[in-house]
């Protein structure tokens, strides 16, 4: 384990070599802004070109390696990921502010991709062949080539592995661009994995939007797998279209939860709280709006607020904390502005929870959990993705009204229905405009491999975590016909 005083310097990884940069950016601890955790190379277009060229060279031999061998070697890389929980989670918690258990969850969810895809890739890649007196036909699936994976900071490991594992197992090579807000531990992890694989198969470049733009416009990149904000995703899509790259866009969400009057408060409350506040609310499919049937509204508010008031907000590595800081200044300012707008709008805003270490409060991006009771639908909070520990709660009278309110959003990632009447809940679930709708669950831990993950409307294009849809997105079909 590293000491708090340790600072590390992270470079681009190209062809399994570290490429020093002219400039480095400091990475500060979001929970102790006075501490520099490390430095990350400020990359440029030239790094992107070198990385893509290296990946392109590696792709030509990797694609010829038998699928069983590719899987075996990637399972070894997966074991390295699992072992890295012992040292890299500490660094990750410091650079992005998460609680230790949330960071471990990110690593282990990343690891599960290796196990899950290993079981389905051979069958997926098996050619489909037919023969008759006239001809022989074979429908085969080929890797696309160089994949660019552009990832955000909130769950960096799993969001990278959801791309890297299907890409590499199907024979592609990859260039990963971590977020400038959490690049350190992820790069060290990718460096370890790259070192046991052929040079150029896994490359890492660093930087902000200029490096992202260089990747999405490079002619040798054939597939862009992007997770991040909606506005960035749209730009990625436009740029990628110039050279007709395939894209997967996993974007933001504004997930509604509909609580019916027959819901079991005692049973659902811990689940709802987890779905709202895990990672300080910085989860793409966190619950971001709660609609409660009016007959249950007051009881729900009382119970919910009493529990939120117990939350302890503090440093991520302090085991007493239930909520860590938010990751960065942009997020901090944005969430504060939404709370302020809610106050100005006349909604009832309750600031709850406990400050663990008030002396350190101004030294980190700490925000107490806020509950906003928005009976008049007057807050901006309801229409945008807050990505922070503040939640609006809105009453409804009829189920039709709840469905209309829940669907009144530009986003469509996930949704949930909470009820003890399963059949009624299923009927309402089918009405949701979302990529995923859960019943009596929501947020991290609610999906299982095989449930396609992704959104509709402004929440994205494509699906991850699905044997068929995801693997299809990393391959091209090649149909062969021999005329006898
Ligand atoms: P972001 O869009 O700011 O950045 C994401 C990545 O894109 C970063 O690596 C960034 O450097 C890069 N980037 C920035 N501009 C670019 C450009 N013009 N071209 C190419 N790349 C560019 O997002 P963020 O703040 O890091 O992450 C938070 C967002 O991610 C939230 O909206 C959240 O909901 C979303 N998210 C979605 C999912 C999902 O699966 N749907 C999962 C996690 C997070």
């Amino acid at each position: 384990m590293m000491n708090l005083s340790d600072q590390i310097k992270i470079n681009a990884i190209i062809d399994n070599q570290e490429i020093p940069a002219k400039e480095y950016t400091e990475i500060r601890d979001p929970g102790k802004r006075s501490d520099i955790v490390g430095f990350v190379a400020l990359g440029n277009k030239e790094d992107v070109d070198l990385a893509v060229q290296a990946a392109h060279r590696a792709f030509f031999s990797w694609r010829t390696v038998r699928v069983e061998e590719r899987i075996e070697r990637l399972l070894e890389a997966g074991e390295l990921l699992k072992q890295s929980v012992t040292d890299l989670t500490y660094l990750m918690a410091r650079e992005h502010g998460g609680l230790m258990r949330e960071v471990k969850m990110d690593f282990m969810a990343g690891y599960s991709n290796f196990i899950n895809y290993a079981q389905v890739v051979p069958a997926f890649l098996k050619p489909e062949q037919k023969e008759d007196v006239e001809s022989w036909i074979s429908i085969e699936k080929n890797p696309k080539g160089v994949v660019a994976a552009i990832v955000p900071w909130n769950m960096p490991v799993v969001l990278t592995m959801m791309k890297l594992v299907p890409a590499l197992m199907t024979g592609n090579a990859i260039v990963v661009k971590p977020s400038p807000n959490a690049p350190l531990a992820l790069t060290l992890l990718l460096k370890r994995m790259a070192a046991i694989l052929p040079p150029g198969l896994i490359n890492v470049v660093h930087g902000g939007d200029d490096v992202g733009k260089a990747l999405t416009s490079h002619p040798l990149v054939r597939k862009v797998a992007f997770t991040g904000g909606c506005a960035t995703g749209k730009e990625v899509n436009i740029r990628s279209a110039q050279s007709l790259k395939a894209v997967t866009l996993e974007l933001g969400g504004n997930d509604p939860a509909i609580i019916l009057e027959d819901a079991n408060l005692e049973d659902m409350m811990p689940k709802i709280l987890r779905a709202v506040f895990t990672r300080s609310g910085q989860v793409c499919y966190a619950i971001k709006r709660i609609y409660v049937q009016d007959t249950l509204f007051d009881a729900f508010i009382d119970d919910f607020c009493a529990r939120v008031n117990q939350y302890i907000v503090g440093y991520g590595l302090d085991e007493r904390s239930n909520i860590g800081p938010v990751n960065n200044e942009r997020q901090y300012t944005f969430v504060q502005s939404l709370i302020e707008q809610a106050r100005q709008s006349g909604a009832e805003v309750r600031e709850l929870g406990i400050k663990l270490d008030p002396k350190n409060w101004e030294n980190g991006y700490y925000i107490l959990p806020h509950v906003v009771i928005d009976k008049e639908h007057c807050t901006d909070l309801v229409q945008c993705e807050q990505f922070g520990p503040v939640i609006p709660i809105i009453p409804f009278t009829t189920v039709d009204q709840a469905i209309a309110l829940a669907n009144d959003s530009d986003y469509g990632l996930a949704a949930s229905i909470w009820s003890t009447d399963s059949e009624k809940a299923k009927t309402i679930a089918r009405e949701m405009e979302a990529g995923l709708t859960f019943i009596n669950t929501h947020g991290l831990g609610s999906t299982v491999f095989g449930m396609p993950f992704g959104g509709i409307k402004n929440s994205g294009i494509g699906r991850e975590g699905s044997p068929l849809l995801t693997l299809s997105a990393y391959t091209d079909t090649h149909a062969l016909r021999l005329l006898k």
Side-chain angles (χ1 to χ4, degrees):
M1 188 186 276
M2 283 176 205
N3 292 317
L4 272 177
S5 56
D6 289 341
Q7 290 175 358
I8 55 160
K9 198 170 178 182
I10 296 296
N11 287 309
I13 315 285
I14 300 175
D15 254 338
N16 287 4
Q17 305 290 320
E18 288 203 37
I19 312 293
K22 287 200 189 87
E23 279 182 75
Y24 289 81
T25 312
E26 62 184 29
I27 304 294
R28 287 181 181 264
D29 183 336
K32 287 188 183 170
R33 297 285 303 138
S34 48
D35 287 1
I36 296 174
V37 185
F39 296 87
V40 63
L42 193 57
N44 53 34
K45 272 163 65 176
E46 286 69 39
D47 296 331
V48 169
D49 187 49
L50 286 175
V52 173
Q53 298 282 358
H56 196 239
R57 285 191 297 277
F59 159 65
F60 279 107
S61 50
W62 183 246
R63 65 175 295 173
T64 66
V65 174
R66 280 186 322 114
V67 61
E68 292 76 13
E69 190 184 330
R70 288 202 300 253
I71 289 173
E72 201 176 305
R73 298 190 67 180
L74 281 159
L75 284 171
E76 287 167 22
E79 286 307 308
L80 283 181
L81 189 164
K82 197 158 82 169
Q83 289 159 18
S84 300
V85 171
T86 50
D87 59 346
L88 292 184
T89 45
Y90 177 79
L91 175 64
M92 179 72 87
R94 287 195 69 212
E95 68 177 311
H96 89 122
L99 306 181
M100 198 51 160
R101 62 180 155 77
E102 295 169 347
V103 175
K104 284 185 178 162
M105 202 194 307
D106 182 25
F107 273 66
M108 292 317 291
Y111 172 69
S112 66
N113 282 279
F114 290 85
I115 306 302
N116 291 331
Y117 279 110
Q119 288 165 15
V120 295
V121 167
F124 174 82
L125 289 181
K126 203 162 179 272
E128 213 184 301
Q129 295 184 338
K130 295 179 220 169
E131 188 160 13
D132 58 24
V133 284
E134 197 185 41
S135 69
W136 166 92
I137 291 175
S138 182
I139 298 166
E140 307 184 357
K141 285 154 192 144
N142 291 338
K144 285 182 176 292
V146 179
V147 173
I150 303 177
V151 294
W153 46 266
N154 65 325
M155 300 285 287
V157 177
V158 65
L159 295 172
T160 302
M161 298 309 150
M162 284 169 94
K163 300 164 179 55
L164 180 146
V165 178
L168 267 50
M169 281 191 184
T170 51
N172 302 280
I174 200 161
V175 179
V176 179
K177 195 198 93 54
S179 163
N181 291 318
L184 306 177
L186 178 62
T187 306
L188 289 179
L189 172 65
L190 291 168
K191 184 178 159 192
R192 285 177 192 174
M193 291 168 48
I196 63 161
L197 293 166
L201 201 60
I202 297 178
N203 308 276
V204 187
V205 291
H206 293 290
D209 57 348
D210 52 337
V211 167
K213 285 175 188 166
L215 268 175
T216 51
S217 49
H218 198 294
L220 288 180
V221 171
R222 295 312 314 145
K223 157 96 190 164
V224 177
F226 173 84
T227 300
C230 175
T232 322
K234 286 179 182 169
E235 198 178 330
V236 165
N237 201 17
I238 290 168
R239 220 166 265 275
S240 302
Q242 302 301 316
S243 45
L244 283 185
K245 300 181 199 320
V247 293
T248 301
L249 302 172
E250 293 286 1
L251 310 180
N254 189 9
D255 292 10
I258 296 180
I259 321 269
L260 300 180
E261 60 189 351
D262 61 15
N264 179 336
L265 272 190
E266 194 54 36
D267 177 62
M268 74 179 176
M269 214 42 107
K271 297 178 194 160
I272 293 203
L273 288 164
R274 222 176 14 250
V276 173
F277 292 110
T278 298
R279 255 323 264 119
S280 312
Q282 301 167 118
V283 174
C284 56
Y285 70 125
I287 293 177
K288 299 191 177 119
R289 301 175 276 157
I290 302 180
Y291 295 97
V292 185
Q293 198 146 23
D294 46 13
T295 41
L296 188 69
F297 194 75
D298 290 342
F300 182 90
I301 294 284
D302 289 349
D303 195 350
F304 189 81
C305 289
R307 294 178 196 240
V308 175
N309 209 23
Q310 306 293 314
Y311 275 124
I312 300 172
V313 182
Y315 191 51
L317 284 165
D318 188 321
E319 285 182 358
R320 292 169 297 172
S321 304
N322 307 122
I323 296 182
V326 296
N327 171 268
N328 57 68
E329 190 175 1
R330 185 182 73 173
Q331 218 33 59
Y332 179 76
T333 314
F334 179 60
V335 174
Q336 298 282 20
S337 73
L338 287 174
I339 295 170
E340 190 46 38
Q341 191 280 332
R343 281 203 180 97
Q344 302 285 335
S345 73
E348 184 188 340
V349 179
R350 296 191 190 173
E351 184 183 69
L352 302 165
I354 301 155
K355 294 182 182 177
L356 178 60
D357 182 6
K359 286 196 300 297
N360 188 47
W361 197 255
E362 301 300 324
N363 192 22
Y365 297 129
Y366 295 104
I367 303 177
L368 283 171
H370 283 67
V371 174
V372 175
I373 301 165
D374 188 2
K375 290 189 177 167
E376 307 300 325
H377 308 176
C378 53
T379 63
D380 291 349
L381 194 52
V382 175
Q383 282 308 324
C384 62
E385 182 187 38
Q386 63 271 51
F387 230 52
V390 48
I391 183 78
I393 307 185
I394 302 117
F396 68 87
T397 306
T398 65
V399 165
D400 286 347
Q401 194 187 7
I403 293 170
L405 287 167
N407 287 340
D408 180 21
S409 170
D410 292 338
Y411 292 102
L413 187 53
S416 57
I417 315 298
W418 301 76
S419 168
T420 46
D421 182 339
S422 306
E423 290 313 309
K424 184 160 73 174
K426 284 185 209 165
T427 306
I428 301 170
R430 292 198 170 92
E431 297 297 319
M432 290 295 102
E433 294 173 7
L436 302 125
T437 297
F438 306 106
I439 297 169
N440 296 335
T441 184
H442 200 137
L444 288 180
S446 299
T447 52
V448 290
F449 184 70
M451 274 186 81
F453 186 89
I456 63 168
K457 300 199 272 188
N458 279 352
S459 290
I461 297 174
R463 296 291 183 268
E464 294 189 314
S466 154
L468 181 63
L469 301 176
T470 309
L471 294 175
S472 299
Y474 287 97
T475 50
D476 288 318
T477 301
H478 190 194
L480 313 180
R481 181 166 185 250
L482 176 146
L483 191 62
K484 289 184 179 170

